[in-house]
Amino acid sequence: MNTLIWVEHDNASVKDATLAVVTAAAKLGSVTALVAGSGCDGAATAAAQIEGVSKVLKADDAAYANALAENVAPLVAGLMANYDAFLTPSTTTGKNIAPRVAALLDVMQVSDILSVEGPKTFTRPIYAGNAIATVESSDAKLVITVRGTAFAKANATGGSAPVEAVAGAGDSGTSSFVGSEIAKSERPELTSAKIIVSGGRALKDADTFQQVIIPLADKLGAGVGASRAAVDAGYVPNDYQVGQTGKIVAPEVYIAIGISGAIQHLAGMKDSKTIIAINKDEDAPIFQVADIGLVGDLFTLVPELTGKL
Amino acid sequence: MKALVCVKRVIDYNVKPRVKADGTGVDLANVKMSMNPFDEIAVEEAIRLKEKGVVTEIIAVSVGPQKAQETLRTALAMGADRAILVLNDDDVEPLAVAKIIKAIADEEQPGLIITGKQAIDDDSNQVGQMVAALLGRPQGTFANEITVEGDSVVVKREIDGGLETVKLALPAIVTTDLRLNEPRYASLPNIMKAKNKPMAQKTPADYGVDTTPRLKTLKVGEPPVRVAGIKVADVDALVAKLKEMGVVS
């Protein structure tokens, strides 16, 4: 089977989410990586070095600069004449583009796969991860989004694939990029952090969140996450949100502080290797999934913990 | 312009789903069902655009069983003007739903189609993008803010690193994210009034759409169960555990 994968990049380098997609695609067959962007030579070079990638297609055009689905989907759908499967990471970019490609090809997408069970059989979570469905596609071509935390990352170096330039139809003329506000952070990115310290509604306000959660995260070199309640209350920006509708994470250690553990939140973190919960309510659902629980007032326990590390 | 909002009847978001013992699916018998939370946000946004004078008429559409008319009545009680129920007892996949929505859009010619970013039952996150592809129109997915400016709509989108703003030529498709708005509750008088609002009943065949599933569900199982953990008495014990795990030295 020939697979085409979407490379998520910032023009200069390839983002980590892509490496898990290479692993998933390699289970299906040979892997060709598509790098679409504007001035994306650096990313194409980096993609060529990923172990397991046999060819890189580079579509360098101003129309692909911000990965607008209206421009990118026809490019991918055109290339799919030569491929049997198209895979993207389950990032916001992947989720934006892949279904548009699937509809253009008249196939059903398989969203957010957890494993490859056969050439057309996959597992995927449904109902906020409360059930795992095994599905088999009957479509001639596959369009798949891949849950990054469910597959090992391919080595970013060791490969030497040839890079070939391709052209698409360019700008569809129906959409344009206006601007972006990217939250600045020196911390490890949430989806790739080894340790995550996450805060919930109990943190009271933005200042308290900063004072309680951040020092502990700094001590541990951890990424910082939050529950939906903390985001909605304005304690932190919404890209901190872990859960069914936010980011799905699976770090080595997830420390949930003042988070009750609603099913929507658990959907985003229950595959973490070790879960630690600090909560004053000993009946909070989070303790049902936590490996280590500490019952008590977070406002005294967390500073004490930070001090003793 | 008209706005088309797509709503789905799903298991209530507070209910913990139970997997059937025979592995055929999730048990939905006697389980509380509600409008998909993201679709409530879609309905609310359409109503707000109508209140601003941007939208003239709101049509709510649902594809599902007879009981999905309750979901449509909820949309009508919130403020939608009329509803279309496309009756199909079996689950309909996003691709087929998108084809039905496309056919309705061809008939109704809405300026905006608003739908939730994903349904909380199948977690697919596909319909809006697929409708946009089938219509050949632009898409503003995961919307955090929507502003109609003349013949285009400016959509602020929630993306992984923060927010992104795109400008789309109308007609366009927008899918809602959680923070777009706070949906209103339907008042009792409005619930009563909604009973008299028109609801057309159709079938996928009326729109020439084949709903045969492309994906065959072989099995639905429980997710791996986590082994029960321990509770530690104090911070010192937690620190000791962290050291044992090698998280801190």
Side-chain angles (χ1 to χ4, degrees):
Chain A
M1 195 183 277
N2 289 322
T3 72
L4 182 67
I5 67 157
W6 173 260
V7 175
E8 192 136 330
H9 64 85
D10 60 4
N11 285 327
S13 62
V14 170
K15 297 206 173 154
D16 263 11
T18 310
L19 302 175
V21 179
V22 171
T23 304
K27 289 178 190 281
L28 294 170
S30 75
V31 183
T32 299
L34 170 64
V35 178
S38 178
C40 55
D41 280 345
T45 308
Q49 287 164 11
I50 301 172
E51 201 170 38
V53 170
S54 59
K55 187 158 82 169
V56 175
L57 302 181
K58 185 182 68 166
D60 203 328
D61 186 322
Y64 306 133
N66 296 292
L68 292 170
E70 296 78 10
N71 298 349
V72 164
L75 165 73
V76 176
L79 294 170
M80 283 301 287
N82 301 319
Y83 296 91
D84 308 300
F86 174 63
L87 295 89
T88 75
S90 288
T91 54
T92 47
T93 311
K95 290 176 188 171
N96 190 39
I97 293 169
R100 192 157 179 128
V101 172
L104 292 177
L105 297 172
D106 191 30
V107 305
M108 246 308 284
Q109 174 184 310
V110 188
S111 292
D112 214 20
I113 63 163
L114 300 172
S115 70
V116 176
E117 301 290 316
K120 294 209 164 190
T121 309
F122 310 91
T123 62
R124 58 176 305 263
I126 54 176
Y127 292 89
N130 283 291
I132 308 295
T134 306
V135 296
E136 183 184 39
S137 172
S138 61
D139 283 318
K141 291 185 190 290
L142 297 167
V143 174
I144 296 165
T145 61
V146 177
R147 178 171 290 198
T149 56
F151 292 88
K153 292 188 179 96
N155 284 331
T157 54
S160 57
V163 178
E164 184 184 305
V166 291
D171 199 334
S172 72
T174 56
S175 65
S176 57
F177 177 79
V178 178
S180 62
E181 302 159 39
I182 302 300
K184 283 208 179 75
S185 172
E186 268 118 62
R187 310 180 173 285
E189 203 209 346
L190 211 45
T191 48
S192 55
K194 286 202 159 42
I195 305 175
I196 292 175
V197 179
S198 209
R201 191 201 304 271
L203 272 307
K204 280 189 189 153
D205 56 44
D207 283 345
T208 318
F209 192 100
Q210 291 292 323
Q211 285 158 18
V212 175
I213 301 294
I214 303 299
L216 177 60
D218 285 344
K219 267 274 168 68
L220 295 167
V224 176
S227 70
R228 182 188 164 191
V231 171
D232 282 350
Y235 304 172
V236 286
N238 54 34
D239 52 309
Y240 282 54
Q241 187 184 323
V242 172
Q244 183 184 21
T245 60
K247 293 201 169 73
I248 312 286
V249 299
E252 298 280 317
V253 182
Y254 187 90
I255 309 181
I257 298 172
I259 292 176
S260 64
I263 56 176
Q264 295 82 7
H265 186 74
L266 299 183
M269 46 64 82
K270 68 185 163 117
D271 294 325
S272 305
K273 198 156 172 226
T274 302
I275 297 172
I276 300 173
I278 302 179
N279 203 303
K280 68 177 178 193
D281 174 10
E282 62 179 319
D283 297 322
I286 191 77
F287 288 120
Q288 289 164 20
V289 299
D291 300 283
I292 305 172
L294 179 58
V295 180
D297 181 14
L298 68 93
F299 296 105
T300 53
L301 294 176
V302 177
E304 189 188 341
L305 173 61
T306 309
K308 284 182 176 166
L309 290 177
Chain B
M1 67 180 176
K2 285 187 201 175
L4 195 69
V5 288
C6 314
V7 298
K8 185 177 187 184
R9 178 177 183 264
V10 298
I11 189 167
D12 189 86
Y13 74 102
N14 280 313
V15 174
K16 185 164 165 52
R18 281 180 204 289
V19 174
K20 285 192 215 165
D22 63 1
T24 55
V26 165
D27 193 357
L28 296 177
N30 304 317
V31 168
K32 186 182 178 206
M33 305 291 276
S34 306
M35 188 190 297
N36 180 41
F38 293 99
D39 302 345
E40 287 184 359
I41 295 169
V43 175
E44 176 64 33
E45 196 63 21
I47 297 166
R48 290 186 189 192
L49 289 170
K50 194 180 172 192
E51 287 167 349
K52 282 184 195 150
V54 175
V55 162
T56 50
E57 188 187 26
I58 302 168
I59 308 155
V61 179
S62 192
V63 181
Q66 195 70 49
K67 282 194 167 167
Q69 60 172 280
E70 291 165 16
T71 309
L72 287 170
R73 288 286 170 213
T74 306
L76 293 170
M78 287 173 73
D81 295 293
R82 62 188 166 94
I84 302 172
L85 171 62
V86 182
L87 198 61
N88 202 82
D89 278 331
D90 298 322
D91 281 348
V92 183
E93 288 175 343
L95 182 64
V97 171
K99 288 178 179 177
I100 292 168
I101 305 292
K102 183 215 182 272
I104 295 175
D106 286 342
E107 265 180 30
E108 301 281 353
Q109 296 292 321
L112 263 180
I113 300 176
I114 313 179
T115 184
K117 79 163 173 181
Q118 77 190 58
I120 60 163
D121 53 359
D122 65 12
D123 285 332
S124 288
N125 195 327
Q126 300 176 9
V127 169
Q129 296 89 317
M130 287 180 157
V131 172
L134 297 174
L135 287 169
R137 297 307 308 168
Q139 66 193 43
T141 49
F142 326 139
N144 176 293
E145 200 180 296
I146 300 173
T147 320
V148 175
E149 294 176 352
D151 57 1
S152 59
V153 57
V154 176
V155 179
K156 196 178 266 190
R157 307 178 53 231
E158 294 194 11
I159 58 167
D160 285 329
L163 296 165
E164 167 184 294
T165 307
V166 291
K167 190 171 184 176
L168 315 172
L170 293 174
I173 291 81
V174 173
T175 77
T176 63
D177 215 320
L178 279 174
R179 276 160 289 272
L180 180 59
N181 61 47
E182 188 79 39
R184 68 192 64 191
Y185 289 102
S187 66
L188 188 59
N190 286 342
I191 292 171
M192 300 310 290
K193 273 186 226 158
K195 292 186 196 297
N196 296 321
K197 289 186 179 176
M199 187 183 304
Q201 205 167 99
K202 302 276 189 181
T203 66
D206 293 337
Y207 300 106
V209 175
D210 176 8
T211 58
T212 311
R214 307 286 190 87
L215 299 181
K216 188 172 158 198
T217 300
L218 304 177
K219 191 179 79 180
V220 174
E222 297 269 2
V225 182
R226 294 188 72 96
V227 286
I230 53 150
K231 279 195 181 140
V232 292
D234 53 28
V235 169
D236 289 325
L238 178 55
V239 172
K241 275 280 171 198
L242 289 171
K243 283 184 178 157
E244 206 177 288
M245 284 158 44
V247 175
V248 289
S249 50

